[in-house]
């Protein structure tokens, strides 16, 4: 028996798990069951690490809701046995994946940390080791025998963010992610600096974990641009079985006031399609009714996405559609913070 925290490392794919074959110069997948032996630093951490790998690791561009469910089930099936979880995925869609996982668990009392890297773990200049080692340290961190982080986070380049607040911003810099509308939860320097005031703090009476794995992906993102035509919007709202639209608007949630545009949106809402207003800006919030160009959106019943990211809005839409809620409840839940995703 040891008192060391037990951490489950789940590898799904992505650059982090690759090594360079120096003879051919090509990147190839690494046998993840050997990670603890291959990276001596991991043996020095004050925790016990177990690993699970996807049978066939994938590039995160190939992720879909079935993989989200596989990741979430792996966490749910091992929830009691482990103190914390570190999930390795490709960075390209990590914000989408981790946002979805955040909605699928209610009353999470343990850390679920997503990380990856820009360079493969076997590369001389890799960012993978720091990201992996610190993510495991954060997942192991306890105070008064309780995990410090009790939510889904995303760690990259010295910062842990709330996962459902993040966006990938760079395909080049090691600092690949940002969270424009919420500060980092943890900063890693000489010490790990936990910003305890802003961490999610589930009620102290132990509430049971609720895992919901019903996700619906009959949705679309409609990004407005000056000059968008009626036939394009009409074609989108006519997609068979469409259930939700993430409408990426300008600035504080503004859109054209043209009659054809508003009529098409109203028609979609009357057909039972949920439409959420999300800003194209990387920071700030939708304020429906602030300008004339958003008053009508509010009048016809468009949902206010407030300061949610597009990635998180997609995940929340998939999750809430899976709950089969009446129209008004859907709107109320969407406009309410469920996992700290909006202010
Ligand atoms: N294309 C890779 C992926 O997202 C990039 C990465 O691993 O960061 O799977």
């Amino acid at each position: 028996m040891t008192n060391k925290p037990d951490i489950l490392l789940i590898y799904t794919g992505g650059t982090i798990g690759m090594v360079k074959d120096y003879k051919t110069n090509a990147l190839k997948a690494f046998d993840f069951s050997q990670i603890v032996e291959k990276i001596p630093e991991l043996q020095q951490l004050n925790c016990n690490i177990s690993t699970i790998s996807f049978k066939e690791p994938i590039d995160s561009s190939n992720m879909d809701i079935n993989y989200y469910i596989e990741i979430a089930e792996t966490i749910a099936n091992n929830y009691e046995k482990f103190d914390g979880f570190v999930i390795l995925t490709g960075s390209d869609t990590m914000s989408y994946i981790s946002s979805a996982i955040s909605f699928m668990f209610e009353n999470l009392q343990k850390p679920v940390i997503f990380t990856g890297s820009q360079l493969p773990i076997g590369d001389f200049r890799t960012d993978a080791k720091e990201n992996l080692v610190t993510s495991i340290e954060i997942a192991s961190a306890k105070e008064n025998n309780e995990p410090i982080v009790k939510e889904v986070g995303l760690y990259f380049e010295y910062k842990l963010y709330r996962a459902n607040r993040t966006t990938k911003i760079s395909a080049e810099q090691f600092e690949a992610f940002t969270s424009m509308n919420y500060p980092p939860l943890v900063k890693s320097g000489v010490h790990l600096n936990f910003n305890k005031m802003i961490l999610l703090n589930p009620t102290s009476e132990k509430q049971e974990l609720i895992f919901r794995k019903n996700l619906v992906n009959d949705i679309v993102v409609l990004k407005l641009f000056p000059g968008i035509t009626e036939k394009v919007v009409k074609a989108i709202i006519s997609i068979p079985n469409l259930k939700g639209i993430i409408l990426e608007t300008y600035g504080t949630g503004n859109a054209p006031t043209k009659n054809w545009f508003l009529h098409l949106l109203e028609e979609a809402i009357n057909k039972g399609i949920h439409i959420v207003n999300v800003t194209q800006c990387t920071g700030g919030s939708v304020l429906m009714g602030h300008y004339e160009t958003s008053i009508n959106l509010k009048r016809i019943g468009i949902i206010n996405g407030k300061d949610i990211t597009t990635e998180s809005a997609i995940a929340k839409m998939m999750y809430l559609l899976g709950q089969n809620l009446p129209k008004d409840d859907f709107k109320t839940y969407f406009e309410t913070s469920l996992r700290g995703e909006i202010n």
Side-chain angles (χ1 to χ4, degrees):
M1 268 300 270
T2 76
N3 276 333
K4 287 185 180 180
D6 292 305
I7 301 301
L8 182 60
L9 190 58
I10 303 171
Y11 176 61
T12 72
T15 306
I16 190 163
M18 307 217 152
V19 280
K20 200 177 229 168
D21 181 331
Y22 283 97
K23 282 189 200 131
T24 61
N25 242 358
L27 290 177
K28 57 178 193 191
F30 173 93
D31 176 1
F32 235 76
S33 59
Q34 295 174 3
I35 188 156
V36 183
E37 292 96 83
K38 284 268 168 67
I39 302 176
E41 290 88 335
L42 296 182
Q43 290 165 35
Q44 286 160 33
L45 294 174
N46 194 28
C47 61
N48 305 311
I49 302 170
S50 304
T51 56
I52 292 184
S53 174
F54 269 16
K55 267 200 199 82
E56 281 179 31
I58 55 163
D59 188 291
S60 76
S61 307
N62 282 321
M63 277 279 172
D64 60 32
I65 57 174
N66 295 320
Y67 289 111
Y68 294 179
I69 295 168
E70 188 174 340
I71 296 171
E73 277 177 338
T74 309
I75 297 168
N77 294 339
N78 289 285
Y79 190 72
E80 293 307 326
K81 280 184 265 162
F82 289 89
D83 298 286
F85 301 84
V86 175
I87 325 287
L88 306 176
T89 74
S91 61
D92 289 348
T93 67
M94 194 185 288
S95 294
Y96 298 84
I97 310 166
S98 55
S99 295
I101 302 294
S102 79
F103 291 111
M104 292 164 88
F105 290 107
E106 188 177 341
N107 300 330
L108 190 69
Q109 303 272 355
K110 296 184 179 182
V112 174
I113 312 298
F114 279 78
T115 195
S117 64
Q118 294 281 53
L119 284 175
I121 204 145
D123 196 286
F124 290 128
R125 293 178 51 252
T126 190
D127 53 332
K129 274 189 196 165
E130 200 286 315
N131 287 347
L132 179 57
V133 167
T134 308
S135 294
I136 295 174
E137 285 203 308
I138 292 171
S140 309
K142 291 197 174 191
E143 197 173 65
N144 304 325
N145 219 18
E146 292 259 312
I148 302 180
V149 176
K150 299 172 184 167
E151 58 178 291
V152 181
L154 186 155
Y155 183 82
F156 236 84
E157 194 64 3
Y158 306 111
K159 291 190 189 101
L160 180 80
Y161 300 108
R162 178 164 298 152
N164 58 33
R165 293 288 195 153
T166 60
T167 301
K168 185 169 180 184
I169 48 157
S170 179
E172 166 66 23
Q173 305 298 325
F174 287 147
E175 193 166 2
F177 289 87
T178 194
S179 160
M180 289 294 287
N181 287 332
Y182 205 72
L185 307 176
V186 182
K187 284 189 188 162
S188 162
V190 174
H191 299 103
L192 286 181
N193 221 317
F194 292 84
N195 191 345
K196 291 182 192 149
M197 299 293 287
I198 62 162
L199 286 167
L200 284 184
N201 205 356
T203 45
S204 48
E205 321 125 46
K206 284 263 184 271
Q207 297 230 35
E208 225 179 287
L209 181 76
I210 303 172
F211 171 38
R212 299 189 186 89
K213 57 179 173 183
N214 208 13
L215 299 177
V216 174
N217 61 357
D218 294 306
I219 68 175
V220 71
V221 178
L222 172 52
K223 181 170 184 157
L224 297 184
F225 56 90
I228 190 168
T229 58
E230 184 171 356
K231 65 178 180 215
V232 164
V233 179
K234 204 175 215 164
I236 286 177
I237 71 157
S238 312
I239 295 170
N241 213 27
L242 186 71
K243 301 209 171 62
I245 300 175
I246 311 294
L247 184 68
E248 275 202 358
T249 57
Y250 310 123
T252 51
N254 307 314
T257 49
K258 295 188 177 89
N259 277 339
W260 67 260
F261 181 74
L262 293 166
H263 283 149
L264 284 176
L265 294 187
E266 206 166 8
E267 193 185 311
I269 291 173
N270 291 339
K271 281 202 286 189
I273 297 173
H274 302 281
I275 308 183
V276 179
N277 186 351
V278 167
T279 176
Q280 292 179 12
C281 297
T282 47
S285 182
V286 164
L287 297 167
M288 284 209 286
H290 191 59
Y291 287 93
E292 196 191 6
T293 41
S294 65
I295 281 180
N296 286 318
L297 301 181
K298 191 173 176 180
R299 180 184 54 77
I300 63 175
I302 289 194
I303 299 166
N304 188 344
K306 302 181 182 174
D307 63 344
I308 200 166
T309 60
T310 296
E311 292 87 335
S312 195
I314 291 170
K316 193 170 184 177
M317 179 73 93
M318 289 175 167
Y319 168 73
L320 289 179
L321 284 172
Q323 309 313 308
N324 268 323
L325 299 164
K327 191 174 166 194
D328 288 353
D329 290 3
F330 188 99
K331 185 169 189 293
T332 307
Y333 277 111
F334 210 107
E335 292 178 349
T336 307
S337 169
L338 301 180
R339 309 281 185 265
E341 72 283 4
I342 53 175
N343 280 347

